[in-house]
Structure formats: C-alpha cells, structure tokens
Amino acid sequence: MVGLSSIYRNFLLILFIALIWSCDKPTDAITYCDCASWENWKNDPDIKCGFITVPEDHDKPMGKTIQIAFAIFNSKCKSDNPVPVVILTRGPGGRALASPDRWINHESRQVGDVIVVEQRGIGLSSPLPDISETFINIIAADASSEEEKAITLNAMQEKVAEIKALGINLSKYNSTQNAKDIGALMNALPYEKYNLYGTYYGTKLGIMTMKYFPSKIGAAILDGPTILNNTALEARFPHLIRAFNQLYEDCANDPACSAAHPDLQAETIEAIQSLKEKPFTVRLLDRDFTLNPQDAVFFIRYLFYKADAFETVPRFVHAINVRDTAVVEELGDFPARMLKGANNSTFFSFTAYEEYSENTPSNVQAFMKSNPELAEGMAWFQAFIPALVQWHDGRVSQEETKLENIAVPTLIITNDLDPLMPPHNTKLFEDALLNEHVIKVNSFEAEAEGDCISHIRTNFLLDPTGKIDTTCLQTGLAKN
C-alpha cells in the first residue's frame, strides 16, 4: 500500500513538473515561418519571421485567439551580452512589416537583435476588415463636409456590421491589449531583458508595456510622446493650430520666406477658403481627387510631419492659390499615401477606446468654428468623429490611464513644434517615470533623424546609466 502511494505521489509530481514545463516552454505560442511567405519578403539567414498566438482579450486567456506577426533581425553589435530592441511603430493602424527594407539597416541592430512587431488588427496580425479604401474614395469625391459626414456614417455602419458578423470584438483592439501582446511575445522569446524603441503611437504602447512588464525591460526610448487620454482626439486640433502659428512666426522671421509670403496666415486662410467655392481636381493614388477645404487641411496637417515642412507647407499653400496642379500632386503624394498605408478600421477601434469621450464631437466642432484655418473641418477627422460612438462601446478605464513610478531608464525625445505631440505630453511622461532623460528638438522635423540623434539613441541603449552627450545637437541639426 505504501509502495502504491509512493508511485502515485511520484506520478503526480512528474505530471505537475510536466505541466509547469509546458506552460513555460518559450516556443509554445510561437510558430516560425519562411520569411518568403510574406509579401515583399525573402528568406535571409539574418532574419527570422514568425507568429505568436495570443488571446483577443487577455482577460479571457481561454477565449478566442489571434496571431501577431514579428520579425527578428540579427544583431550587428559586438558586445558580449547584447540586449534586443523591440520596435514599436507609429499608428495605430500603420504597417510595420510591409517589407524588411525599413529595418535592414536600422540603427538598433548596433545594440542587439531588432524585433519588429506588426500590431494587432493590422497587416499580417489578424487584420480587421479595412475601411480605408472606402474613406479614400469619400475624400477624393467632390463632397462638402456635411455630405462627407453622412456618407461616412453610413459606410461605418456597414463596416461595423460586417466585422461583428465575423465574431470580432472591436473593443479589444486597444493599447492595453496591444501592450499585453508585446508582453506575451517578450515572455515567449528566449531573451532575459529587452529594450523598447517607440515612436509616436509607439511611445504610448511603450509606456503601457513598461507599466505592465517593467521587469522585462532594461531601457526605453520614447520619441514623440503620445498619451493615453480620452481627450486626446479633440486635442489634435489646438495642437495643429499651434503648429500653424509657429510656422507663421518662423516665416515672418526668415527673410526669404517673408519675402515670398508677406502674410502667410492670410495666404493660408485664403487658400483653404477658396476651395469652398472653387475646388479643383488633381491626380493622386491613381484616381481623380477633388481638393475641398477639409481635404487641404488634412494634407497640410501631414505635411507638418515632414522634415522640410518649413518649405513645403508655404509652397503647398501657394500652389492651391494659383491652382498649380503639378505642385499640389507632388506635395500631396505623401499625405495621400498616409491614407493608403493604414488600416483605418484598426485606427477607429483604438481611437474610440482611448481618445474619445461623449464631449469630443461638440468640443471639436466649437474649436473648428473659432479658427479660420479649420473652419471647414479636417476631412475624414470631421466626418468620422461623430460616428465613433457607434464603432464600439468600449472606453478606457482610469486604471489603464494611471501611469506612475515606472523605474525603467528612459530617453524621451520631444519636439515643441510637433503638430500632434505637444510639450504637455512630455511632462505627463516625466511625471510617470522615475529615471528619465529628455532631449528637446525645436524644429519642423517630425522625427529627429540624422547621425547626431541616431548616435545619442544608440549610445543610450548600449549604456542606459551613462552620461548622455548631446554636444552634437548644437551644430545645427536641432537646438537644445
């Protein structure tokens, strides 16, 4: 009897150990694949491609699952113990793995393996049925703001019905679930620690990942702080006006710009308002695109993200006033491709969850009416905002927005002239972090690119506790 009991206890012990081992086994949730199976990719011995299976709702781990795609680019670092860098891209809705070209020569390969993640609902990662093409056609049409609103509302209602019929829970496509996807991947891969490198939306995802998985993260770079706040959507509009005003001021103080544009503000308002009575058609995205006032504001907003915005925005404004279709097509190509390159169904899901409140539509409308640059709205922004309430009813909780006492060494890069990420966001990040360093770039450069800032970022990740040398920023790339 004793022998049988002993055998039974040993059997239970072996079974328990087996269960523990199977739960902790790093590759359980991961499936590797040929990179060549992805569009625009090919097999490369220095790149590994794969998927991790995660819950659609991390609060229900036994429920429906989705797949998250990732690629690992082997390190070029000569350190004895390189730490991998997880890249968190801008968005939500933008592709990260459309091709490997963007990452082949990424600076962070000098730090460790580079892990690029395609976020949930996008591209290779269980993508949501995308409404983007419908939106492009709406914006390209010769429609007033009010007409766009009606057409957009109907299109969104149809898309929601289509997505729900597939059993997809739109409210689970948000930054909290996204951060937990990153955490699941970090737990599944065989690395002890990770660095994070987030830009724009990736900074929001980064700080949320730091909140939930601080022990996994050695250091982080957050470039262009974005906050998790249900007033963030309406805040985009005053921040855009701030960027307009800074451009007007800089132009007035620049001899060449002021000579070409003696009153840039009046010229800008004239250009936008002239399109109300006399829109004109250009060729963008292989289709006729009628430029209305709200479309012009949308295009200008995204031109602010380009490093040469100081030159291109005045040039775009002038081209509208003189109806120079060639220049409008040249400069409008970048904003148009921004429309084409994102999954707007995913963008709506994230936005409705964490940037929208019941006061958002009225607050946006009041602000637009008080600013002549925005008097006709902002194209699809004006159109989709009133319709977001029907996209899904999930809303961010106070617990999710609570960020405090995060001890991860963090480098924050901020730009006072950024039209979307104002200095106030940086202060909120600083309040949440215990070990942060801030680099301020005051120029129309959405990403502080260049050898100088790249060198600073790389050195920080290689030695997060060392002194940060910003001397090179004084040479003209940016002002400290």
Side-chain angles (χ1 to χ4, degrees):
M1 187 73 178
V2 173
L4 183 60
S5 176
S6 175
I7 292 171
Y8 182 69
R9 284 198 304 270
N10 289 337
F11 170 77
L12 289 179
L13 179 61
I14 292 170
L15 178 62
F16 176 75
I17 291 172
L19 288 171
I20 293 296
W21 180 82
S22 68
C23 290
D24 286 349
K25 189 178 178 182
T27 57
D28 269 358
I30 287 180
T31 302
Y32 290 101
C33 64
D34 286 340
C35 293
S37 66
W38 294 353
E39 185 179 3
N40 300 323
W41 288 67
K42 61 183 180 180
N43 290 329
D44 185 320
D46 286 332
I47 307 174
K48 185 180 290 187
C49 300
F51 296 91
I52 181 170
T53 301
V54 298
E56 183 183 58
D57 181 357
H58 282 273
D59 291 332
K60 297 178 179 178
M62 303 306 292
K64 178 185 175 182
T65 60
I66 60 175
Q67 286 194 314
I68 306 299
F70 65 92
I72 302 175
F73 294 76
N74 288 349
S75 172
K76 297 179 180 179
C77 179
K78 297 179 181 179
S79 167
D80 292 335
N81 189 27
V83 179
V85 182
V86 180
I87 304 291
L88 307 175
T89 56
R90 64 176 66 194
R95 294 288 311 274
L97 297 176
S99 84
D101 298 348
R102 186 175 172 187
W103 313 111
I104 291 289
N105 297 313
H106 195 275
E107 65 192 55
S108 292
R109 293 186 75 179
Q110 303 301 325
V111 176
D113 290 352
V114 166
I115 304 168
V116 183
V117 184
E118 190 114 279
Q119 297 162 24
R120 60 167 50 203
I122 303 165
L124 297 165
S125 295
S126 298
L128 298 182
D130 191 8
I131 197 172
S132 296
E133 191 66 24
T134 300
F135 263 93
I136 293 171
N137 289 331
I138 292 172
I139 297 172
D142 185 9
S144 69
S145 294
E146 291 304 314
E147 289 169 334
E148 281 190 11
K149 285 182 185 179
I151 300 169
T152 299
L153 178 63
N154 182 65
M156 290 178 70
Q157 288 173 337
E158 291 179 355
K159 186 58 68 173
V160 166
E162 174 190 341
I163 293 172
K164 286 184 176 179
L166 297 173
I168 296 170
N169 187 341
L170 284 168
S171 70
K172 300 308 174 185
Y173 292 79
N174 61 61
S175 292
T176 298
Q177 297 290 338
N178 214 3
K180 291 180 179 179
D181 292 344
I182 302 299
L185 181 61
M186 291 192 299
N187 285 332
L189 291 174
Y191 304 96
E192 182 180 351
K193 287 275 190 178
Y194 299 82
N195 294 318
L196 300 181
Y197 181 2
T199 55
Y200 288 98
Y201 168 76
T203 68
K204 180 194 292 187
L205 178 56
I207 203 165
M208 293 291 287
T209 305
M210 292 154 70
K211 170 183 177 174
Y212 291 117
F213 306 96
S215 65
K216 279 288 184 181
I217 303 166
I221 294 175
L222 304 178
D223 189 347
T226 307
I227 57 173
L228 188 72
N229 187 301
N230 66 1
T231 63
L233 182 57
E234 62 195 69
R236 295 173 188 239
F237 302 95
H239 301 329
L240 177 59
I241 286 296
R242 182 173 56 84
F244 268 117
N245 290 336
Q246 187 64 57
L247 177 64
Y248 301 150
E249 181 182 337
D250 287 1
C251 184
N253 292 329
D254 181 87
C257 186
S258 60
H261 309 277
D263 189 342
L264 182 57
Q265 182 173 18
E267 188 180 351
T268 301
I269 294 170
E270 178 188 355
I272 293 169
Q273 295 304 319
S274 73
L275 295 168
K276 189 170 186 178
E277 298 299 327
K278 295 182 179 180
F280 67 102
T281 301
V282 294
R283 193 73 179 168
L284 293 167
L285 300 178
D286 298 320
R287 73 196 78 195
D288 287 339
F289 203 111
T290 301
L291 199 66
N292 300 110
Q294 65 271 22
D295 306 326
V297 177
F298 173 85
F299 277 34
I300 291 171
R301 179 178 185 268
Y302 278 96
L303 286 175
F304 274 123
Y305 283 88
K306 293 175 65 65
D308 58 354
F310 182 77
E311 290 81 25
T312 55
V313 173
R315 187 170 168 233
F316 186 74
V317 166
H318 176 74
I320 292 175
N321 276 323
V322 301
R323 299 305 192 258
D324 187 335
T325 57
V327 172
V328 170
E329 288 172 353
E330 173 198 342
L331 300 180
D333 178 67
F334 173 75
R337 283 188 288 106
M338 294 291 286
L339 279 171
K340 187 77 171 178
N343 184 318
N344 283 302
S345 294
T346 305
F347 172 79
F348 291 156
S349 293
F350 280 73
T351 302
Y353 188 85
E354 57 209 39
E355 295 191 3
Y356 181 87
S357 75
E358 61 182 11
N359 297 320
T360 297
S362 59
N363 289 345
V364 168
Q365 187 177 31
F367 186 83
M368 289 191 300
K369 286 183 176 179
S370 66
N371 290 274
E373 289 95 337
L374 305 182
E376 293 298 321
M378 278 185 67
W380 65 304
F381 276 95
Q382 186 191 18
F384 80 69
I385 286 173
L388 275 180
V389 69
Q390 70 176 7
W391 194 254
H392 65 68
D393 59 5
R395 298 293 180 264
V396 68
S397 68
Q398 287 187 343
E399 190 281 327
E400 289 170 281
T401 62
K402 188 177 181 181
L403 300 169
E404 61 183 11
N405 299 325
I406 298 173
V408 176
T410 304
L411 176 64
I412 301 172
I413 301 172
T414 184
N415 184 353
D416 282 354
L417 303 186
D418 194 303
L420 185 57
M421 315 305 172
H424 177 65
N425 288 4
T426 302
K427 179 63 167 61
L428 294 174
F429 272 41
E430 290 183 82
D431 289 345
L433 296 163
L434 300 178
N435 187 8
E436 79 285 352
H437 308 273
V438 178
I439 292 178
K440 186 176 292 186
V441 178
N442 292 326
S443 67
F444 282 104
E445 297 188 54
E447 293 182 44
E449 296 295 348
D451 292 340
C452 170
I453 203 73
S454 174
H455 185 70
I456 292 172
R457 289 189 296 242
T458 300
N459 283 348
F460 172 76
L461 292 181
L462 287 171
D463 184 12
T465 61
K467 182 180 179 181
I468 299 175
D469 183 1
T470 60
T471 305
C472 63
L473 290 177
Q474 310 302 320
T475 64
L477 170 67
K479 297 177 182 178
N480 214 358

